[in-house]
Amino acid sequence: MGCGNFFFSLIITFSVALITYNAIISANAPLRQDFPGPSKSNPSSSDGFMSVDPIIKMPLDRSRQSSKRLFHTAVTATDSVYNTWQCRVMYYWFKKFKDGPNSEMGGFTRILHSGKPDRFMDEIPTFVAQPLPAGMDQGYIVLNRPWAFVQWLQQADIKEDYILMAEPDHIIVKPIPNLSKDGLGAAFPFFYIEPKKYESVLRKFFPEEKGPITNIDPIGNSPVIVGKESLKKIAPTWMNVSLAMKKDPETDKKFGWVLEMYAYAVASAFHGVGNILYKDFMIQPPWDTAVGNKFIIHYTYGCDYNMKGELTYGKIGEWRFDKRSYDRVWPPRNLPMPPPGVPESVVTLVKMVNEATANIPNWGS
């Protein structure tokens, strides 16, 4: 028993001595402050050490990968009362949602193609473009849109790499992310843009060697999010095709007021820029009744209802909201709300117009 205690005490004493020795050695060793990895000394040095578990470096462009793909919102307009009140309402809601969750909205420009500044230059960021020479638009003022974009893209300092082409009668209803990807634009598909139906007409401007007619997407120029460099190529062709279509009696008759929309679709296809057709980009009351997860309300159509909340399209309603009612005068503040039963989309539209006009200084002055 005594012999056993002796050997146990000897083992304990030896262990304590070994631990103390290691502690002393460790305390006097130089502290390494670099990350685990290959020795920074030359492998042929006396150290001669190479780690078998080298450090894996973080990607150098990690911050770039996680950064937002901002787009610049551009709206073409004249200095008319009609365009101006719509632009003021649109810009109000742009500012409201610009910094919201998931937004990739960058700067904003009203491209004013009346040729001279107006009194709202300080309220809305504006680029002044020159209109087409007198008579060239043949009374179709929308032909100034592509020419205005050509000037803006050539002369303005646009920081963002993408452009959202929008219109004065768009109201943004929530923050918009960059919906484009992989070199494709993102565009709203219009049911009345039918390239296949008008192939014989479109082949005048989109020859067969450019590919099948189905390469032309059923879109206009707005709303579209597209790469800035792509748009710089598209815009001059869009302008030239628009003018050529207007000069061609058959094309002008077939396409009418949507001629410039077809011209953009042709120009985009001509330069090989396809588009993601994004139906949730916007709604168009009164036909679209719910806002849902859409990003834009486009109020191009008149909204006419009786007091029962029933649509009376084609007939002026007991209650109505139509932007054309205010082509020469400012809409008043606090427009009457629609009667019960009118769809959410129309109710939301009027509420948003009312909020904007209530908060925009000097409304209607």
Side-chain angles (χ1 to χ4, degrees):
M1 185 71 175
C3 184
N5 287 337
F6 172 77
F7 283 111
F8 179 77
S9 299
L10 184 62
I11 291 171
I12 293 297
T13 302
F14 178 77
S15 298
V16 170
L18 183 61
I19 291 170
T20 303
Y21 172 80
N22 286 333
I24 293 171
I25 293 299
S26 297
N28 288 281
L31 179 65
R32 292 175 62 93
Q33 297 188 23
D34 55 340
F35 288 107
S39 170
K40 292 182 179 178
S41 61
N42 191 308
S44 61
S45 68
S46 58
D47 197 20
F49 172 77
M50 178 68 74
S51 171
V52 295
D53 186 21
I55 185 172
I56 299 175
K57 297 181 179 180
M58 295 294 287
L60 295 177
D61 61 345
R62 183 171 182 264
S63 60
R64 193 181 308 163
Q65 289 174 343
S66 62
S67 64
K68 291 186 175 182
R69 298 182 305 131
L70 297 179
F71 58 82
H72 194 103
T73 300
V75 180
T76 57
T78 69
D79 60 0
S80 67
V81 169
Y82 181 65
N83 268 181
T84 301
W85 72 256
Q86 293 173 42
C87 283
R88 295 183 81 190
V89 169
M90 189 206 177
Y91 186 55
Y92 173 86
W93 286 106
F94 170 87
K95 291 187 293 182
K96 277 273 190 175
F97 291 112
K98 177 180 182 295
D99 297 320
N102 302 316
S103 169
E104 292 184 290
M105 300 158 66
F108 183 99
T109 299
R110 175 183 60 148
I111 306 176
L112 185 66
H113 54 75
S114 300
K116 60 184 184 299
D118 68 0
R119 59 196 175 97
F120 298 101
M121 303 286 289
D122 292 334
E123 178 181 324
I124 309 173
T126 300
F127 173 88
V128 178
Q130 297 304 309
L132 290 168
M136 187 172 285
D137 65 13
Q138 300 179 57
Y140 182 53
I141 197 170
V142 182
L143 286 183
N144 285 282
R145 181 179 293 159
W147 170 224
F149 265 104
V150 169
Q151 295 173 72
W152 178 63
L153 290 164
Q154 288 178 345
Q155 300 173 31
D157 181 18
I158 307 163
K159 304 297 185 186
E160 298 83 358
D161 291 330
Y162 298 86
I163 309 296
L164 164 60
M165 292 183 285
E167 296 184 15
D169 60 351
H170 286 176
I171 291 182
I172 296 170
V173 297
K174 70 175 185 178
I176 307 176
N178 191 335
L179 302 171
S180 68
K181 62 180 181 179
D182 301 329
L184 299 171
F188 179 81
F190 291 92
F191 71 90
Y192 48 78
I193 302 297
E194 303 176 275
K196 186 65 177 176
K197 180 178 178 180
Y198 296 105
E199 179 170 4
S200 61
V201 175
L202 290 171
R203 282 302 184 191
K204 298 178 183 180
F205 314 98
F206 189 74
E208 291 190 6
E209 57 264 28
K210 298 301 293 184
I213 207 69
T214 51
N215 283 359
I216 302 176
D217 293 320
I219 63 171
N221 80 289
S222 172
V224 170
I225 299 176
V226 64
K228 178 174 62 180
E229 295 306 314
S230 293
L231 188 57
K232 285 181 178 180
K233 297 174 184 178
I234 293 170
T237 305
W238 173 27
M239 179 187 71
N240 291 329
V241 172
S242 296
L243 293 171
M245 284 182 169
K246 189 64 181 175
K247 289 180 180 179
D248 182 74
E250 180 189 17
T251 308
D252 189 23
K253 183 178 179 179
K254 292 284 188 184
F255 294 160
W257 66 275
V258 297
L259 179 148
E260 169 265 346
M261 296 173 70
Y262 270 102
Y264 180 83
V266 167
S268 185
F270 192 90
H271 290 282
V273 180
N275 295 275
I276 302 166
L277 303 181
Y278 204 86
K279 291 183 179 180
D280 285 345
F281 214 145
M282 72 178 186
I283 58 169
Q284 301 184 96
W287 310 117
D288 298 310
T289 58
V291 176
N293 60 353
K294 312 303 189 292
F295 296 100
I296 293 171
I297 294 177
H298 182 208
Y299 54 101
T300 189
Y301 299 108
C303 301
D304 289 276
Y305 293 86
N306 61 27
M307 298 313 291
K308 297 179 181 178
E310 298 168 337
L311 182 65
T312 62
Y313 194 79
K315 176 183 177 182
I316 295 177
E318 296 174 86
W319 179 93
R320 78 182 324 231
F321 175 79
D322 189 336
K323 65 178 183 178
R324 295 163 192 82
S325 300
Y326 308 104
D327 60 342
R328 297 184 181 181
V329 296
W330 295 80
R333 283 175 165 158
N334 197 27
L335 291 167
M337 294 301 297
V342 171
E344 173 204 18
S345 61
V346 179
V347 174
T348 302
L349 167 60
V350 179
K351 282 183 177 180
M352 295 185 80
V353 170
N354 281 345
E355 179 180 328
T357 60
N359 289 282
I360 296 173
N362 304 313
W363 181 258
S365 61

